[in-house]
Amino acid sequence: MYRSVNGFQMAYSAGGAGQPLLFVHGYPLNRQIWTPQLDNLADSGYIIAPDLRGHGESDPVPGPYSMDLLADDLNALLDRLEVRKKVILCGLSMGGYVALAFWRKYASRLKALILTATRAAPDSPEARVARDQAAATVRQSGIEPIVAGMLPRLLAPETLQNNPALVEQIGAIMRSTSSAGVLGDLAGMRDRPDSRPDLKNIELPTLILHGQEDQIVPVQEAQEMFAALPNSRLRLIPHAGHLPNLEQPARFNAAIREFVTNFNL
Ligand code: MLT
């Protein structure tokens, strides 16, 4: 399905009814990563999973994609879908950076946050240089070198070893991302603000879900967010790396169900 938002066609999947749950993918991925959630959580609410601009089936509009801009797209999509209820916003990795930007701009639309495989800190100077190097690589050689470098680090070692179908599926998702999307993300992530000072002001119920073997965002960063967020709980997911929703979907979905039930969300 598509909706026209902010001058481009945004693709999304949706299912279920009731409490809206908005799932936002990371870099350089798309909404297909939320298939186990779309398939299994539709009895918990109205699940909406968009492709961010430049990803999946959304238009490959040129960047840079600031986290604020991506948050604006989500806000516009909610408008177009006439979502009036407050939303539970689940963001994975870059999607978590977008979730924090969304909170800064549109907190009144939020009921709760689920921050998964993400961090509040900005890029270090070294990470900023690495973003520019990655962008130069993409301009010169396309996304393949990014896939080759990132795929082995995205997943827990045992997922890599035992689940070749998932490894292949994630590689295909990454390869389908447009160059505009990859470059737009890299610039937006490089320049994103430090969200750490905001955490003490986020009073929303917040669930932090993090793979115990995440090699992209170390567990320590999730623990730091947990310590700083006044109304948060932390769930570490064993046998999972940076994509716990795909590597351990049953545990991931159970944690979301429990959160939604315990908080009467
Ligand atoms: C992501 O998974 O969205 C990115 O790896 C996050 C990042 O590079 O900071």
Side-chain angles (χ1 to χ4, degrees):
M1 291 178 282
Y2 296 87
R3 284 287 188 278
S4 177
V5 302
N6 298 340
F8 75 97
Q9 288 294 312
M10 187 171 217
Y12 70 99
S13 298
Q19 170 60 53
L21 277 145
L22 177 60
F23 285 89
V24 185
H25 64 79
Y27 157 89
L29 301 168
N30 65 46
R31 73 187 198 277
Q32 284 179 40
I33 70 160
W34 299 117
T35 303
Q37 285 65 54
L38 278 155
D39 287 350
N40 294 292
L41 287 174
D43 59 346
S44 296
Y46 171 37
I47 314 269
I48 310 162
D51 285 337
L52 296 171
R53 55 172 69 206
H55 299 75
E57 296 176 297
S58 289
D59 286 342
V61 279
Y65 303 165
S66 70
M67 300 302 109
D68 278 0
L69 180 66
L70 298 176
D72 291 343
D73 292 343
L74 298 177
N75 185 56
L77 180 66
L78 292 175
D79 284 346
R80 295 304 309 269
L81 296 177
E82 299 186 3
V83 173
R84 310 241 184 273
K85 289 186 180 152
K86 290 189 182 212
V87 169
I88 301 174
L89 175 51
C90 174
L92 182 141
S93 200
M94 183 183 77
Y97 310 157
V98 178
L100 291 168
F102 192 98
W103 175 82
R104 279 189 287 273
K105 295 193 83 168
Y106 306 109
S108 65
R109 273 198 116 139
L110 288 172
K111 188 163 204 182
L113 285 172
I114 302 172
L115 299 174
T116 187
T118 194
R119 54 161 71 88
D123 273 9
S124 64
E126 299 75 28
R128 289 171 58 91
V129 170
R131 301 284 190 203
D132 290 339
Q133 286 167 346
T137 301
V138 172
R139 282 194 193 93
Q140 202 178 358
S141 313
I143 195 176
E144 199 51 48
I146 304 290
V147 177
M150 199 172 167
L151 193 49
R153 298 175 58 239
L154 270 179
L155 301 166
E158 64 186 270
T159 310
L160 282 170
Q161 202 174 346
N162 300 337
N163 200 343
L166 181 60
V167 179
E168 197 170 317
Q169 186 199 344
I170 295 166
I173 290 174
M174 292 169 90
R175 288 184 188 97
S176 76
T177 307
S178 66
S179 294
V182 177
L183 295 172
D185 290 350
L186 286 168
M189 290 194 288
R190 178 196 60 201
D191 296 337
R192 74 184 189 280
D194 187 354
S195 294
R196 288 172 298 185
D198 294 327
L199 297 180
K200 62 179 181 310
N201 300 318
I202 300 180
E203 284 164 5
L204 297 170
T206 302
L207 173 63
I208 301 166
L209 282 174
H210 212 91
Q212 243 163 7
E213 296 172 59
D214 192 328
Q215 298 170 66
I216 307 257
V217 181
V219 167
Q220 194 194 331
E221 302 213 45
Q223 287 162 336
E224 284 165 9
M225 286 198 299
F226 173 55
L229 281 160
N231 193 8
S232 65
R233 59 228 27 83
L234 171 64
R235 267 297 155 85
L236 296 181
I237 303 194
H239 314 293
H242 192 56
L243 299 176
N245 62 308
L246 285 170
E247 297 180 75
Q248 294 294 332
R251 287 188 166 104
F252 187 92
N253 291 345
I256 291 191
R257 258 181 224 289
E258 186 188 282
F259 179 60
V260 170
T261 309
N262 287 355
F263 279 85
N264 291 321
L265 294 173

